[in-house]
Amino acid sequence: MSLFSQANFEEDSQKQPAIGHWKPLMPSKGNKEEPETGCQDAGGVDETQSTEQLNMSRLRSSSVEIREKGSEFLKEELHKAQKELKLKDKECERLSKVREQLEQELEELTASLFEEAHKMVREANTKQAASEKQLREARGKIDMLQAEVTALKTLVITSTPSSPNRELHPQLQSPSKAGFRKGHGRNKSTSSAMISAASQNVTPEPVSRECKEVDSILFAEFQAWKESPTLDKSCSFLDRIYREDVGPCLDFTKQELSELVRVAVEQNTLTIEPAASQTLPMVKVSTEECGGPNGFRSQIVTKCALSGLPRTCKHRIMLGDSGNYYYISPSCRARITAVCNFFTYIRYIQQGLVRQDVELMYWEVMRLRREMSLAKLGFYPSEM
């Protein structure tokens, strides 16, 4: 039997179920035949070789299958590892972006904190400067009030209703005495007689009372401004006052300096102080104009910085903290003072310092507007 036929026989035997078992016939002990034994040995060797070859082929096929399955498993594991690495890379990238964002926010927060600190320092310095300025203004007002109180005390001490002091009350003096007051001395008896006669003939003038009537348009504008007071000149109340009073009152010949004065008045940074006579630069004028010797006035005369005319400048102004002083005439000082008084009052209203009725505040504003109108027309008190 050949190897191929034996293999086919074995495969057929494996595929088909065996109906019976074939038992090999063992030869008897007495009948030993050598050829049969040789054939049996050759067939057993062939069967053994074929079985070994079959086992080897099965081992090879199983090893190939194991290798293929192992490679597939390794490929799957490698694919999973690659997916995990991609996820880790994405997570690392996200965390790096979060870190960069946090660092940027920290830098912005630090910068904003430093800016806020500098802003608070600037505001504190500004408030300190404003407080010092208000303190100086308050001291100036206190000195002025003390001087007024002293003058009133002098008036009370030296003048009584029964015997008024005629030097302190010029309206009580007679025309003759007023006319010869600065002349030569006269006989006391004659003067007293003339004064008594004049006092008997003088009739008291009636006291004129001023009538007032509220303008409905102006009062409505003031009430609307009073609801939410502001220094913004775009509102109708301040826009009207700027056009009718503040603008014309601060419109001087020197336009550039006039604009600086207006800004300083609005920002409350203008300072007016008396000028010492030693510091005033003198201006030489003609003898005919002055009426004095050598072409100089008896009083110290300098050129007004706002009007450009030679005037007796008793005061000077400083804009902010520049340190530059400008000498001004009494008329210019009256105009600037009138505007400053108006702004001071409306600032007090804005800050809630005025505790009055709305109508009383309105009339005070109208009084301040009248002062500005008179000042821009050239009227000012003699003590200016």
Tab-separated table of all heavy atoms in Angstrom, residues 185-195:
chain	number	residue	atom	x	y	z
A	185	GLY	N	-10.099	174.769	55.800
A	185	GLY	CA	-10.907	174.737	57.002
A	185	GLY	C	-11.815	175.952	57.099
A	185	GLY	O	-11.509	177.010	56.586
A	186	ARG	N	-12.927	175.806	57.770
A	186	ARG	CA	-13.888	176.889	57.909
A	186	ARG	C	-14.198	177.079	59.385
A	186	ARG	O	-13.856	176.252	60.220
A	186	ARG	CB	-15.179	176.575	57.150
A	186	ARG	CG	-14.953	176.351	55.663
A	186	ARG	CD	-16.221	175.861	54.987
A	186	ARG	NE	-17.292	176.835	55.139
A	186	ARG	CZ	-18.541	176.577	54.846
A	186	ARG	NH1	-18.882	175.387	54.394
A	186	ARG	NH2	-19.473	177.501	55.030
A	187	ASN	N	-14.896	178.204	59.690
A	187	ASN	CA	-15.267	178.490	61.056
A	187	ASN	C	-16.293	177.473	61.540
A	187	ASN	O	-17.235	177.142	60.854
A	187	ASN	CB	-15.886	179.913	61.120
A	187	ASN	CG	-16.120	180.315	62.558
A	187	ASN	OD1	-17.137	179.938	63.137
A	187	ASN	ND2	-15.198	181.091	63.105
A	188	LYS	N	-16.067	176.929	62.712
A	188	LYS	CA	-16.907	175.855	63.220
A	188	LYS	C	-18.340	176.304	63.434
A	188	LYS	O	-19.272	175.561	63.172
A	188	LYS	CB	-16.334	175.322	64.535
A	188	LYS	CG	-15.008	174.604	64.349
A	188	LYS	CD	-14.517	174.050	65.668
A	188	LYS	CE	-13.200	173.303	65.500
A	188	LYS	NZ	-12.704	172.735	66.769
A	189	SER	N	-18.510	177.529	63.897
A	189	SER	CA	-19.877	177.989	64.156
A	189	SER	C	-20.655	178.101	62.856
A	189	SER	O	-21.819	177.724	62.771
A	189	SER	CB	-19.847	179.337	64.876
A	189	SER	OG	-19.159	180.276	64.066
A	190	THR	N	-20.002	178.629	61.822
A	190	THR	CA	-20.673	178.758	60.522
A	190	THR	C	-21.009	177.397	59.958
A	190	THR	O	-22.082	177.168	59.415
A	190	THR	CB	-19.766	179.526	59.551
A	190	THR	OG1	-19.354	180.737	60.171
A	190	THR	CG2	-20.496	179.811	58.252
A	191	SER	N	-20.074	176.456	60.090
A	191	SER	CA	-20.303	175.110	59.545
A	191	SER	C	-21.448	174.432	60.257
A	191	SER	O	-22.315	173.824	59.624
A	191	SER	CB	-19.029	174.269	59.690
A	191	SER	OG	-17.960	174.875	59.005
A	192	SER	N	-21.487	174.578	61.576
A	192	SER	CA	-22.556	173.928	62.313
A	192	SER	C	-23.901	174.535	61.992
A	192	SER	O	-24.920	173.848	61.931
A	192	SER	CB	-22.281	174.008	63.823
A	192	SER	OG	-22.187	175.371	64.211
A	193	ALA	N	-23.919	175.832	61.771
A	193	ALA	CA	-25.179	176.483	61.432
A	193	ALA	C	-25.676	176.013	60.077
A	193	ALA	O	-26.872	175.737	59.889
A	193	ALA	CB	-25.003	178.004	61.427
A	194	MET	N	-24.762	175.917	59.116
A	194	MET	CA	-25.154	175.469	57.788
A	194	MET	C	-25.624	174.017	57.817
A	194	MET	O	-26.571	173.628	57.150
A	194	MET	CB	-23.986	175.619	56.807
A	194	MET	CG	-23.621	177.077	56.522
A	194	MET	SD	-22.249	177.223	55.391
A	194	MET	CE	-22.991	176.499	53.945
A	195	ILE	N	-24.946	173.210	58.620
A	195	ILE	CA	-25.322	171.802	58.701
A	195	ILE	C	-26.704	171.653	59.321
A	195	ILE	O	-27.541	170.874	58.864
A	195	ILE	CB	-24.282	171.035	59.515
A	195	ILE	CG1	-22.979	170.945	58.708
A	195	ILE	CG2	-24.777	169.633	59.867
A	195	ILE	CD1	-21.834	170.378	59.515
